[in-house]
Structure formats: structure tokens, C-alpha cells
Amino acid sequence: METVLEKLGISDVNDGVFDGEWRGSGAKIDKISPIDGRRLASVRTASDDDYNKAIARAHEAFSKWRVTPAPVRGETVRRLGNALREMKHELGQIVTLETGKIIAEGEGEVQEMIDICDLAVGQARMLYGLTIQSERPSHRLMEQWHPLGVVAVITAFNFPVAVWSWNAALAAVCGDATVWKPSEKTPLTAIAVTKICERVCRETGADPAIFTLLMGDRKTVGQKLADDARIPLVSATGSVNMGLNVAKTVHGRLGRTIMELGGNNALIVAPSADLDMATQSIFFGAVGTAGQRCTSTRRVIVHESVAPKVRRKLLAAYKSLAIGNPLDRKTVMGPLIDKNAVDMVQHSIQRLKDEGGEVLYGGERLTVPGDCYMKPCLATGKPDFDIVKHETFGPLLYLMTYRDFDEAVAIHNNVPQGLTSSIFTNDVREAEKFVSAVGSDCGIANVNTGTSGAEIGGAFGGEKNTGGGRESGSDCWKSYMRRQTNTINFSSELPLAQGIQFGAGEGSGTA
């Protein structure tokens, strides 16, 4: 552990603020690993003065970065991707040490950073506008995209670096500076990545403050970012309550938001489904990251004709699950992020029982150092249970049945959240209907693949209480830029649109 931290530049006590210089004059926090309860290191967080200096420096960096040609900006991001490649193993380990993710998932998250850097490099040469046909002679009508400003990125513990990179890599090629407020539960990963960003920027001549870091809690950093009129866009990942508070504040000053909030993701298993594929996807979706993904599978809606088989297959998978140290590559599920997370899942299991649900397997807390481990819980539930409509952020999976396809879709959509969804079927009509306007109401709808594990090439995000934001691929780059429509008259006349004639008297010219 000490070797990994040393390679990544993590000391026993670390500054949690970076804007070209490292400092931190606020409260000190200790990072305790959920793996075994050991202290990894400490971090000095931001004070009010640190905050103000950092935002000023980010604006200074933006003023220079925005006039740097986009392909040149892309070169810095290209080198960042290569630097992340060189440190993939070490970064994957620190993700695991801080979050408890199994090492394969930790390294997979670093790969997401690498992939989005690759995507952003290409995007740097494709920040396209449009040429539009004007109704007026000798006029050119066009639109173009300009850098937006300083972008705040608020990330959650469960993906401590990937979600930052979705925003930061694209924002960088778009000409923006980013200010990153990571979760206080994963400070060391953020510091390690920011140190890599600093080194790359110094090598390319970019101002390192384009990747500013502000470690702190909601009061000292989070709320300030939402309030700050100097920040035109706030991208926030977290709970629905957090998102509502941030959105009200930012929109109250007419700023923009990208929100990635709750998910209560369901997977439908149809009679024609490949049941081996379906159960494998359910198992990973429900147990991966100890059920702490926003895309985790939380509800399984199974046709009654295949429900007994699916139940047997899932029970066998759950009973064979290897729980333990996530740094051991044989481990399938590690700890939850902290003791409170386990308490919260235990509370949800009790609520399920109180409403009439049945635990089929698991749910017990495990007596392991750190007190962050539990067996994943497989249970029955009904669509109208309050707890089933609530997102429990942990390894709690509900099984329920349906008789006809429309009933399955209705059950699927009858929750407040709308992030990701899946159906396993070999019936082309069911598949097409599921991804149609009358099918899944989620931002992501999959056929014959699970709810979890989205690729960076597509836009990521959801509807309803998920927040409506989109990040990562497709045309999400537009969120980090401001659109400008231009009309250029290259004639000696002054015609108005819609053929309006105005002030045609002597000396007034032609309208």
C-alpha cells in the first residue's frame, strides 16, 4: 500500500487544494480504507480564502486557455491520457483502497479516464457549427461554439475519477477550466489524478489551473460553487436531495447544470430470453461495486413462466459469491464505502420485511475489520412497495413477476428514477417496443445486455429524478460551450428578415 501511495505522490498529510500551487488551510480529514479500517493518509481541505484564490486562478487560466487552438488543447488531453495509461495499475489500486471496489473495477474506472481522453482528443478537431441558408440575399447565417468558462465538477465516491474525467477532458478541449470538488470519502484518488494533470500541463505549457482541485465539504466548497455567478456550469453527481439543492441554487442565478442523480434500474426477463445471459447480467449489475453504482440493477421483472429458473440460477450465483479483500483478484465483492452505508442497506431490508417482502438470500452484516462488509441481499418485492420505489444504494435486489409485456413496462416505469434499463428477450417486437417511445422511460435502454457498464461513446444520463443531464460521448461536448448565431451581410443593402419594410423614406435607406 505504501509503495502505491508513494508512486502516486501521496504523503502522510496532503494538501487538498490545487490551482497551480498546492495548499490547504482548512480542516484536516483522515481517509480510512473500507477494506480493513486502516488510515491511508490525511488531507488538508480548503478554507474560504483558499476557495476564493482558486476560483480566481481558474478564471485566469481560462482566459488564456480559451484562445488556445482547440487541436493544441487536444494535445494536452492526449498526453494526459498517455500519462494515465502509464499509471493505470497504481491508480486502479488507489481507487480500490479508497472505495473498496474490486481491483478489476478499479482498473476499469481508470480505463474510462483513458477512453474519454481519447474521445476528447478527436473531438478537439470536431467542435462543429452550422452554415444555415439565409432568406436574405448576400447574407451568411451561421452558428459557432465558444468556450463557456469555469466549470464546477462535483463527484461522488462510487466513481471517484471516471465521472470527473467525463467532464474535465471534454471541457478542456472545449476551452474551459474545471474546478473539481471530489467526495470527501475519496480524496486521495483526486489528489493523485490532479498531480498527473499538473505534470502534463507543465510539460505542454498549459496553465495547470485548468485542472483546479478544491477539497472540502458542502458548506466550504459545494454550496459556494453552486452560489458562485462566476461559474456558468455546475456538473453534479450524487443523491437526488443534493441535486435538488444544487439545481435550485444554480438555476436561481440562471446558471446551467448537468445532473447525474438517482437510479432505480430494472431488468426485464422475457419468456424467450437467454436465461444464462440474463442471470449473469443481473448478478454483475446487482453485486458489482457492492451495489453502489448509479447503474446497479435494483429490480428484476421476470415473466412468471421463467421466474422459478431465474430464481434458482440467481440463488446459485449468490451462494457462490467470493466476498473479501478487493485487492485479491479472486474476490467478486468487496466492502461498501463505510459503516453508514451498511447501516442504510440494513434499514432498507427491514423496511422490505415490514411491507411484506421476503429475503431469499443474504443481507447479513459480516464481522470483518472495518465493519463495511455484508452479504448481498436477494429478495422478493412488489412494485407498489415504497421501499421498492426508493433507491437503496447498496447490494439489495428485488425479484418480481409479470404476465404480459405491457404490464412489465408499466412496472418498470413506475418509479421516480429514470437512469438505465434493460430487457432480455429474443422477441424482436418486444425489443423494439422496449426502446420505443412507449417503452422504457429511462435515458439508457438496453437489449440483451445489463443495466450497468455504459460505454463512454454514448451520452450518459437519465430522466425524472435522475436529473436529465448528459455526460461523456455523443454531442455532450456542447454542454461545455456557448452557442453563438451569426448573421454576416456582405452586400451594400440592408434587407430585413421576413420581408419587413421599415423607414423607407428619404435618407433612410432600404429596410
Side-chain angles (χ1 to χ4, degrees):
M1 181 185 76
E2 289 77 11
T3 303
V4 170
L5 297 179
E6 183 179 347
K7 285 184 178 180
L8 293 170
I10 303 299
S11 305
D12 185 63
V13 180
N14 304 269
D15 291 328
V17 178
F18 177 75
D19 57 11
E21 296 180 358
W22 287 95
R23 64 180 180 279
S25 53
K28 188 172 75 171
I29 57 175
D30 294 329
K31 173 55 195 179
I32 307 299
S33 176
I35 297 175
D36 53 14
R38 283 192 296 170
R39 173 185 167 277
L40 297 176
S42 299
V43 176
R44 288 185 286 258
T45 61
S47 65
D48 289 345
D49 185 57
D50 290 329
Y51 175 89
N52 291 325
K53 287 180 179 177
I55 299 301
R57 277 289 292 118
H59 266 276
E60 180 183 336
F62 165 69
S63 67
K64 294 178 289 186
W65 190 240
R66 65 181 174 180
V67 296
T68 303
V72 177
R73 301 192 295 251
E75 173 62 12
T76 293
V77 175
R78 185 186 72 81
R79 293 199 190 188
L80 174 58
N82 286 340
L84 294 171
R85 281 182 174 90
E86 293 170 3
M87 301 297 290
K88 178 179 176 179
H89 177 65
E90 290 80 7
L91 288 169
Q93 286 186 304
I94 197 171
V95 169
T96 294
L97 286 169
E98 284 209 289
T99 67
K101 285 184 178 184
I102 61 173
I103 188 63
E105 290 190 79
E107 292 175 346
E109 181 169 355
V110 179
Q111 187 63 47
E112 281 198 59
M113 289 199 290
I114 296 166
D115 292 344
I116 196 65
C117 284
D118 288 350
L119 183 146
V121 172
Q123 194 69 66
R125 295 180 182 269
M126 298 186 293
L127 304 177
Y128 297 133
L130 294 173
T131 299
I132 304 161
Q133 295 303 312
S134 174
E135 66 185 61
R136 291 171 281 183
S138 300
H139 280 60
R140 178 154 65 98
L141 184 60
M142 58 178 275
E143 70 176 25
Q144 56 183 331
W145 296 85
H146 295 304
L148 180 63
V150 175
V151 176
V153 183
I154 301 172
T155 57
F157 73 85
N158 60 328
F159 279 87
V161 289
V163 175
W164 165 81
S165 69
W166 295 353
N167 290 272
L170 286 174
V173 299
C174 289
D176 300 331
T178 52
V179 176
W180 182 13
K181 182 210 171 298
S183 169
E184 303 101 289
K185 296 180 181 181
T186 52
L188 306 182
T189 308
I191 291 171
V193 169
T194 301
K195 285 181 178 291
I196 294 172
C197 292
E198 177 190 11
R199 173 169 59 82
V200 169
C201 286
R202 297 201 189 283
E203 291 171 353
T204 62
D207 189 330
I210 61 173
F211 297 115
T212 290
L213 176 68
L214 269 172
M215 193 76 64
D217 61 18
R218 181 192 65 79
K219 181 179 179 181
T220 58
V221 177
Q223 189 61 48
K224 290 180 183 295
L225 292 172
D227 286 329
D228 202 326
R230 296 171 294 177
I231 299 173
L233 171 65
V234 176
S235 174
T237 300
S239 69
V240 173
N241 286 337
M242 180 278 295
L244 287 172
N245 291 331
V246 170
K248 287 177 182 178
T249 302
V250 177
H251 295 164
R253 60 176 173 84
L254 300 183
R256 303 185 197 174
T257 60
I258 300 173
M259 292 290 168
E260 300 292 354
L261 310 175
N264 194 350
N265 314 296
L267 186 151
I268 297 173
V269 183
S272 63
D274 182 321
L275 297 187
D276 289 336
M277 285 178 60
T279 51
Q280 184 178 351
S281 291
I282 295 165
F283 186 55
F284 172 71
V287 173
T289 323
Q292 296 172 118
R293 290 181 176 229
C294 51
T295 58
S296 291
T297 307
R298 310 208 180 280
R299 298 175 296 137
V300 176
I301 306 163
V302 191
H303 191 271
E304 58 186 14
S305 65
V306 295
K309 290 182 179 179
V310 171
R311 179 185 289 200
R312 286 197 299 271
K313 287 178 177 291
L314 283 174
L315 281 170
Y318 271 64
K319 290 176 181 178
S320 67
L321 179 66
I323 303 173
N325 189 325
L327 291 168
D328 183 342
R329 292 191 180 272
K330 295 179 181 179
T331 297
V332 177
M333 178 177 149
L336 277 70
I337 188 64
D338 55 27
K339 178 181 178 296
N340 289 336
V342 180
D343 292 341
M344 177 267 299
V345 180
Q346 298 299 309
H347 178 69
S348 291
I349 292 172
Q350 186 57 54
R351 283 183 59 187
L352 172 71
K353 293 177 179 178
D354 292 343
E355 289 194 68
E358 177 189 359
V359 172
L360 302 175
Y361 177 83
E364 304 94 340
R365 185 189 296 270
L366 299 178
T367 54
V368 177
D371 201 22
C372 298
Y373 293 80
M374 63 170 287
K375 287 185 178 180
C377 184
L378 179 64
T380 63
K382 293 185 178 180
D384 59 350
F385 284 2
D386 287 340
I387 190 60
V388 170
K389 295 182 181 182
H390 169 78
E391 180 193 24
T392 296
F393 210 66
L396 174 56
L397 180 67
Y398 307 110
L399 295 180
M400 55 197 81
T401 60
Y402 76 95
R403 290 186 176 182
D404 64 75
F405 184 72
D406 288 342
E407 178 191 6
V409 173
I411 293 171
H412 175 281
N413 292 346
N414 189 31
V415 293
Q417 309 85 359
L419 178 52
T420 182
S421 57
S422 176
I423 185 171
F424 275 78
T425 181
N426 285 317
D427 185 325
V428 68
R429 290 179 176 175
E430 289 182 336
E432 290 290 341
K433 191 169 185 179
F434 185 72
V435 298
S436 76
V438 297
S440 167
D441 63 358
C442 294
I444 299 170
N446 299 327
V447 177
N448 292 332
T449 190
T451 65
S452 197
E455 297 181 33
I456 58 94
F460 181 89
E463 304 298 326
K464 302 191 293 188
N465 280 4
T466 301
R470 295 295 186 273
E471 293 173 323
S472 198
S474 186
D475 64 348
C476 293
W477 61 270
K478 294 179 178 179
S479 298
Y480 308 96
M481 305 197 82
R482 58 181 178 89
R483 186 197 306 253
Q484 185 179 81
T485 302
N486 308 123
T487 301
I488 301 171
N489 178 7
F490 54 93
S491 75
S492 58
E493 302 293 331
L494 195 60
L496 296 178
Q498 292 84 46
I500 294 174
Q501 299 294 317
F502 182 78
E506 184 178 351
S508 64
T510 303

